[in-house]
Amino acid sequence: MEYVLETSSLCKNYGKNRILSNIDLKIPKGSIYGLVGKNGAGKTTLMRVVTGLQSPTSGTYTLSGVKNTDMKITKVRRRMGALVETPGLYKNLSAYDNLKLQYINLGLTSYDTIPELLELVSLKDTGKKHAGKFSLGMRQRLGVALAMCGNPDILVLDEPVNGLDPQGIIEMREMLLKINKERSTTILISSHILDELSRLATDYAFIDNGRILQTLSAEDLLRKTTKAARLIVSDTKAMCRVLDNTGFKYEVASDGSIDVFGDINITRMVHEADKEDVEILKVIENDETLEAYFMNLVGNGGEQS
Ligand code: ATP
């Protein structure tokens, strides 16, 4: 697998306080990588370090294979777009002129692609309206457009939906999915709400107290949180035959119990099992929500929002 960004034992101290401890992450090319953690977990600090706004105290990271200590990193960093904290907009300029300035900053000489970019972030009809008059959602989308100038390989977004209303959240989500799909841009995005990221992320890292607690794919997370029932049966093999014949999705655990996924009609399952002389001795329901999963992982020691 190809990785756009890799960190190795990355640490960051502020004074005597260790804020990030040995962060090892691999962000696959083309992924939407969700960084999930409570307030103060270290998400912004990590993003500030990998975008070059702060230097690591120890450890390294590589961008498209180039180490942060390599001279070439400045050039490679131009292939990274970032929106960390509030977007640096010129409030008395239109969306177009904000983007034009960013093009100039990046040394781009043709502005032909600005209308495309405005369309991508659904701001093409804003005309001469100044960014200072935009809604928060529009400002955030303009911030993403600024980060997208020069068509970067990776977009780093720190809590981009913070403070947005439900409609704003949906627009941001759809826009990011479009950017990822149409431009193959890898996205590293942070949030303190797992549910929000679950609608777009392909991979996750859970961070707490400056440490990565777990990394997993969207499929693995789904498997862990999908409605399921654990069955304890008299004959595991025979029960698997029953489940195969009836089309249930299941997984056999190492202790012989069986996790059956989806909405399960218990009466039907007992009936089918009975035909094969299998006794269902116990049914344990699991319906863990994403947030419950997250809270179990990070513990309930702190405020989540
Ligand atoms: P939030 O969602 O609240 O922004 P976060 O996960 O992004 O949280 P960070 O902003 O990275 O967390 O903060 C992690 C820790 O580092 C916090 O305890 C914070 O107080 C501390 N911290 C952040 N910036 C600085 C700084 N410049 N100097 C000292 N401590 C800092």
Side-chain angles (χ1 to χ4, degrees), residues 70-293:
D70 192 316
M71 298 276 277
K72 281 192 260 154
I73 194 74
T74 319
K75 194 163 172 224
V76 177
R77 210 187 287 291
R78 291 203 200 114
R79 309 296 314 142
M80 174 184 252
L83 176 57
V84 179
E85 289 149 9
T86 45
L89 305 176
Y90 291 94
K91 289 187 176 164
N92 55 349
L93 291 183
S94 65
Y96 183 95
D97 287 339
N98 265 286
L99 293 178
K100 191 172 164 185
L101 265 187
Q102 183 73 345
Y103 271 49
I104 294 168
N105 284 339
L106 291 172
L108 301 170
T109 47
S110 163
Y111 311 128
D112 294 353
T113 47
I114 293 182
E116 247 169 69
L117 205 47
L118 286 171
E119 165 121 44
L120 185 71
V121 300
S122 309
L123 290 176
K124 74 173 176 21
D125 297 324
T126 53
K128 292 195 167 118
K129 191 171 178 165
H130 287 178
K133 299 238 156 60
F134 285 4
S135 69
L136 180 62
M138 289 163 80
R139 285 204 297 276
Q140 284 297 85
R141 295 207 302 281
L142 180 54
V144 173
L146 285 170
M148 280 300 290
C149 289
N151 209 17
D153 299 326
I154 179 168
L155 199 52
V156 177
L157 305 172
D158 188 22
E159 308 235 18
V161 300
N162 234 3
L164 298 188
D165 62 16
Q167 181 61 26
I169 292 177
I170 293 169
E171 283 166 0
M172 176 65 77
R173 186 193 310 143
E174 285 176 355
M175 182 186 79
L176 295 179
L177 285 168
K178 197 161 128 194
I179 288 173
N180 175 255
K181 195 164 162 241
E182 289 180 7
R183 304 208 169 191
S184 308
T185 315
T186 305
I187 301 177
L188 172 62
I189 176 172
S190 72
S191 180
H192 59 276
I193 305 166
L194 174 58
D195 188 49
E196 196 175 274
L197 286 183
S198 70
R199 290 154 215 260
L200 72 162
T202 56
D203 298 85
Y204 298 91
F206 291 91
I207 183 168
D208 193 41
N209 221 353
R211 291 173 191 277
I212 299 295
L213 298 178
Q214 189 177 59
T215 58
L216 81 178
S217 68
E219 289 106 68
D220 284 342
L221 181 66
L222 190 68
R223 204 168 309 131
K224 282 174 190 274
T225 55
T226 307
K227 190 165 179 161
R230 173 157 289 198
L231 308 180
I232 315 286
V233 294
S234 58
D235 183 337
T236 304
K237 266 193 182 163
M239 190 63 200
C240 288
R241 276 201 305 276
V242 172
L243 293 169
D244 284 335
N245 292 339
T246 44
F248 282 109
K249 277 197 174 160
Y250 68 92
E251 223 171 63
V252 180
S254 54
D255 62 358
S257 61
I258 305 173
D259 288 327
V260 187
F261 302 105
D263 263 329
I264 302 149
N265 181 334
I266 301 279
T267 315
R268 180 169 163 234
M269 199 154 55
V270 172
H271 183 69
E272 296 293 335
D274 194 43
K275 285 194 214 162
E276 291 269 346
D277 279 339
V278 183
E279 248 187 289
I280 297 181
L281 305 170
K282 210 171 180 184
V283 179
I284 307 153
E285 275 208 88
N286 165 32
D287 192 7
E288 192 174 37
T289 63
L290 284 173
E291 289 311 313
Y293 179 79

Side-chain angles (χ1 to χ4, degrees), residues 14 19 37-46 158-159 192:
Y14 282 129
I19 308 297
K38 294 184 288 194
N39 290 329
K43 305 181 294 297
T44 305
T45 305
L46 178 57
D158 188 22
E159 308 235 18
H192 59 276

